[in-house]
Amino acid sequence: ILVILGTSRSRLINGLSWTVAGLCVLGLVASQSFGALTALCAAIVYWALSRGTRLRPSLVLLMSGALAAVLLYVALPLLERLLETQRLARSSQTRERLWEAAIGAWSQNPVGLGPGNAARALEAQLGYRVSVHSDPVQVLVELGPLGLVLATWLLIVLWRVAGPCGH
């Protein structure tokens, strides 16, 4: 089929790769997730810097356009949303309430509630299902202090194994 279409297999795969990457970026932009877009921008900058002098002007233009689109379409509305003091106050109060409820559930069972049970404990206390919105607090509630220490140790070991910048 590729011979009939007059294209090589590697060229087709390259085109499909760029199409999939473009759809992923489009999905991230459409989600308006601040964390995901920040990670995307960081990945693009890292990729550009890691390529060194082999970076073609067309790719620089493409990346600049993508970053500009992200900034205009997503970052500015998100910045407005973040600067709303009422929303910020509501969000921090909600997280405080969630963390207090989670610590309260942990204090009733200091060994830990077991994996996946933090949301159930919050639902029992608050009347609706929600996540803790803090990984360290969630690990403490679910796995107890020993689990939190082990999870922290595991992250440190993985960080050291990866080395600086993955070298």
Side-chain angles (χ1 to χ4, degrees):
I1 295 174
L2 294 175
V3 173
I4 294 171
L5 293 174
T7 185
S8 67
R9 182 174 184 234
S10 64
R11 189 175 174 138
L12 180 65
I13 290 174
N14 190 25
L16 286 173
S17 298
W18 279 105
T19 303
V20 169
L23 289 173
C24 288
V25 169
L26 184 64
L28 286 175
V29 170
S31 75
Q32 292 189 356
S33 168
F34 185 71
L37 291 170
T38 302
L40 173 65
C41 290
I44 289 172
V45 168
Y46 175 77
W47 177 76
L49 294 175
S50 69
R51 296 205 32 127
T53 58
R54 299 179 302 169
L55 202 58
R56 292 182 280 175
S58 60
L59 286 176
V60 172
L61 186 62
L62 177 69
M63 290 184 335
S64 300
L67 288 173
V70 166
L71 286 174
L72 290 174
Y73 180 71
V74 177
L76 291 177
L78 281 175
L79 185 60
E80 284 179 6
R81 231 173 64 194
L82 287 173
L83 292 177
E84 289 179 30
T85 54
Q86 292 175 345
R87 183 186 176 282
L88 186 60
R90 256 192 335 265
S91 177
S92 62
Q93 289 170 353
T94 301
R95 287 179 189 251
E96 262 182 51
R97 194 171 67 227
L98 289 173
W99 296 342
E100 286 174 2
I103 295 298
W106 170 72
S107 68
Q108 293 173 0
N109 191 353
V111 177
L113 302 174
N117 289 324
R120 288 189 198 117
L122 288 178
E123 182 178 17
Q125 287 190 15
L126 302 173
Y128 55 92
R129 191 145 177 107
V130 66
S131 72
V132 179
H133 288 287
S134 170
D135 289 335
V137 174
Q138 183 167 345
V139 170
L140 176 67
V141 170
E142 292 180 354
L143 304 178
L146 181 61
L148 184 60
V149 168
L150 288 174
T152 304
W153 173 79
L154 179 63
L155 288 174
I156 291 169
V157 167
L158 289 174
W159 181 268
R160 286 186 174 177
V161 167
C165 297
H167 293 173

